[in-house]
Coordinates of all heavy atoms in Angstrom, one line a residue:
V1239 N 3.0 -0.5 -12.0 CA 3.9 -1.7 -11.7 C 3.1 -2.9 -12.0 O 1.9 -3.0 -11.7 CB 4.3 -1.6 -10.2 CG1 5.1 -2.8 -9.8 CG2 5.0 -0.3 -9.9
K1240 N 3.8 -3.9 -12.5 CA 3.2 -5.2 -12.8 C 4.0 -6.3 -12.1 O 5.3 -6.3 -12.2 CB 3.1 -5.5 -14.3 CG 2.2 -4.6 -15.0 CD 2.1 -4.9 -16.5 CE 1.2 -3.9 -17.2 NZ 1.2 -4.0 -18.6
G1241 N 3.4 -7.2 -11.4 CA 4.0 -8.3 -10.7 C 4.3 -8.1 -9.3 O 4.6 -7.0 -8.9
K1242 N 4.2 -9.1 -8.5 CA 4.4 -9.1 -7.1 C 5.7 -8.6 -6.7 O 5.9 -7.7 -5.8 CB 4.1 -10.4 -6.5 CG 4.2 -10.5 -5.0 CD 3.9 -11.9 -4.4 CE 4.0 -12.0 -2.9 NZ 3.6 -13.3 -2.5
D1243 N 6.8 -9.1 -7.3 CA 8.1 -8.7 -6.9 C 8.4 -7.2 -7.1 O 8.9 -6.5 -6.2 CB 9.2 -9.5 -7.7 CG 9.2 -11.0 -7.3 OD1 8.7 -11.3 -6.2 OD2 9.7 -11.8 -8.1
A1244 N 7.9 -6.7 -8.3 CA 8.1 -5.3 -8.6 C 7.3 -4.4 -7.6 O 7.7 -3.4 -7.1 CB 7.7 -5.0 -10.0
F1245 N 6.1 -4.9 -7.3 CA 5.2 -4.2 -6.4 C 5.8 -4.1 -5.0 O 5.9 -3.0 -4.4 CB 3.8 -4.8 -6.3 CG 2.8 -4.2 -5.4 CD1 2.2 -3.0 -5.7 CD2 2.6 -4.8 -4.1 CE1 1.3 -2.4 -4.8 CE2 1.7 -4.2 -3.3 CZ 1.0 -3.0 -3.6
M1246 N 6.2 -5.2 -4.5 CA 6.8 -5.3 -3.1 C 8.1 -4.5 -3.1 O 8.4 -3.8 -2.1 CB 7.0 -6.7 -2.7 CG 5.7 -7.5 -2.5 SD 4.6 -6.8 -1.3 CE 5.5 -7.0 0.2
Q1247 N 8.9 -4.6 -4.1 CA 10.2 -3.8 -4.1 C 9.9 -2.3 -4.1 O 10.6 -1.6 -3.4 CB 11.0 -4.2 -5.4 CG 12.3 -3.5 -5.5 CD 13.1 -3.9 -6.8 OE1 12.6 -4.7 -7.6 NE2 14.3 -3.4 -6.9
G1248 N 9.0 -1.9 -4.9 CA 8.6 -0.5 -5.0 C 8.0 0.0 -3.7 O 8.3 1.1 -3.2
L1249 N 7.2 -0.8 -3.0 CA 6.6 -0.5 -1.8 C 7.7 -0.3 -0.7 O 7.7 0.7 0.1 CB 5.6 -1.5 -1.4 CG 4.7 -1.2 -0.2 CD1 3.9 0.0 -0.5 CD2 3.8 -2.4 0.0
R1250 N 8.7 -1.2 -0.7 CA 9.8 -1.1 0.3 C 10.6 0.1 0.1 O 11.0 0.8 1.0 CB 10.6 -2.4 0.2 CG 10.0 -3.6 0.9 CD 11.0 -4.8 0.9 NE 10.3 -6.0 1.1 CZ 10.0 -6.9 0.1 NH1 10.2 -6.6 -1.1 NH2 9.3 -8.0 0.4
A1251 N 10.9 0.4 -1.2 CA 11.7 1.6 -1.5 C 11.0 2.8 -1.1 O 11.6 3.8 -0.6 CB 12.0 1.6 -3.0
H1252 N 9.7 2.9 -1.4 CA 8.9 4.1 -1.0 C 8.9 4.3 0.5 O 9.2 5.4 1.0 CB 7.5 4.0 -1.6 CG 6.7 5.2 -1.3 ND1 6.9 6.5 -1.9 CD2 5.7 5.4 -0.5 CE1 6.1 7.3 -1.5 NE2 5.3 6.7 -0.6
R1253 N 8.6 3.3 1.2 CA 8.5 3.3 2.7 C 9.8 3.6 3.3 O 10.0 4.3 4.3 CB 7.9 2.1 3.2 CG 7.8 2.0 4.8 CD 6.9 3.1 5.3 NE 6.8 3.1 6.8 CZ 7.7 3.6 7.6 NH1 8.8 4.3 7.1 NH2 7.5 3.5 8.9
G1254 N 10.9 3.1 2.6 CA 12.3 3.3 3.1 C 12.7 4.7 3.1 O 13.7 5.1 3.8
Q1255 N 12.0 5.6 2.5 CA 12.4 7.0 2.4 C 12.0 7.8 3.7 O 12.5 8.8 4.0 CB 11.6 7.8 1.3 CG 11.8 7.3 -0.1 CD 10.9 8.0 -1.0 OE1 11.0 9.2 -1.2 NE2 10.0 7.3 -1.6
F1256 N 11.2 7.1 4.6 CA 10.6 7.8 5.7 C 11.1 7.3 7.0 O 11.3 6.1 7.2 CB 9.1 7.7 5.7 CG 8.5 8.1 4.4 CD1 7.7 7.2 3.7 CD2 8.7 9.4 3.9 CE1 7.1 7.6 2.5 CE2 8.1 9.8 2.7 CZ 7.3 8.9 2.0
A1257 N 11.3 8.2 8.0 CA 11.7 7.7 9.3 C 10.5 7.2 10.0 O 10.5 6.2 10.8 CB 12.2 8.9 10.1
S1258 N 9.3 7.7 9.7 CA 8.0 7.2 10.2 C 6.9 7.5 9.3 O 6.9 8.4 8.5 CB 7.7 7.8 11.6 OG 7.4 9.1 11.5
A1259 N 5.8 6.7 9.4 CA 4.6 6.9 8.7 C 3.5 6.6 9.7 O 3.5 5.6 10.4 CB 4.5 6.0 7.5
V1260 N 2.5 7.5 9.7 CA 1.4 7.4 10.6 C 0.1 7.6 9.8 O -0.1 8.6 9.1 CB 1.4 8.4 11.8 CG1 0.2 8.3 12.7 CG2 2.7 8.3 12.6
S1261 N -0.8 6.6 9.9 CA -2.0 6.7 9.1 C -3.2 6.9 10.0 O -3.2 6.5 11.2 CB -2.2 5.4 8.3 OG -1.2 5.3 7.4
R1262 N -4.3 7.5 9.5 CA -5.5 7.6 10.1 C -6.6 7.2 9.1 O -6.7 7.7 8.0 CB -5.8 9.1 10.6 CG -7.1 9.2 11.4 CD -7.3 10.7 11.8 NE -7.6 11.6 10.7 CZ -8.8 11.7 10.1 NH1 -9.8 11.0 10.5 NH2 -8.9 12.6 9.1
V1263 N -7.4 6.2 9.5 CA -8.4 5.6 8.6 C -9.7 6.3 8.8 O -10.2 6.4 9.9 CB -8.6 4.1 8.8 CG1 -9.7 3.5 7.9 CG2 -7.2 3.4 8.5
T1264 N -10.3 6.8 7.7 CA -11.6 7.5 7.8 C -12.7 6.4 7.5 O -13.7 6.4 8.2 CB -11.7 8.6 6.7 OG1 -10.6 9.5 6.9 CG2 -13.0 9.3 6.8
A1265 N -12.5 5.6 6.5 CA -13.5 4.5 6.2 C -12.8 3.4 5.4 O -11.9 3.7 4.7 CB -14.6 5.1 5.4
C1266 N -13.3 2.2 5.6 CA -12.8 1.1 4.9 C -14.0 0.1 4.7 O -14.7 -0.2 5.7 CB -11.7 0.4 5.6 SG -10.8 -0.9 4.7
T1267 N -14.2 -0.4 3.5 CA -15.3 -1.4 3.2 C -14.9 -2.2 2.0 O -14.1 -1.9 1.2 CB -16.6 -0.6 3.0 OG1 -17.7 -1.6 3.0 CG2 -16.6 0.1 1.7
T1268 N -15.6 -3.4 1.9 CA -15.4 -4.2 0.8 C -16.8 -4.4 0.1 O -17.8 -4.6 0.8 CB -14.9 -5.6 1.2 OG1 -13.6 -5.5 1.8 CG2 -14.7 -6.6 0.0
L1269 N -16.8 -4.2 -1.2 CA -18.0 -4.3 -2.0 C -17.9 -5.4 -3.1 O -16.8 -5.6 -3.6 CB -18.3 -3.0 -2.6 CG -18.5 -1.8 -1.7 CD1 -18.7 -0.5 -2.5 CD2 -19.8 -2.0 -0.8
K1270 N -19.0 -6.0 -3.4 CA -19.0 -6.9 -4.5 C -20.2 -6.7 -5.4 O -21.2 -6.0 -5.0 CB -19.0 -8.4 -4.0 CG -20.3 -8.8 -3.2 CD -20.2 -10.2 -2.7 CE -21.5 -10.5 -1.9 NZ -21.4 -11.9 -1.4
S1271 N -20.2 -7.2 -6.6 CA -21.3 -7.0 -7.5 C -21.4 -8.3 -8.4 O -20.4 -8.8 -8.8 CB -21.0 -5.8 -8.4 OG -21.9 -5.8 -9.5
P1272 N -22.6 -8.7 -8.7 CA -22.8 -9.8 -9.6 C -22.3 -9.5 -11.0 O -22.1 -10.4 -11.8 CB -24.3 -10.1 -9.6 CG -24.9 -8.9 -9.1 CD -23.9 -8.2 -8.2

């Protein structure tokens, strides 16, 4: 998908298929490199 509008529309359509979604996070980090 390219573009914010298409991304958000697709995300809403995908999430709209579900009565509920429950996530469990194992790990999350931000990395940078020169």
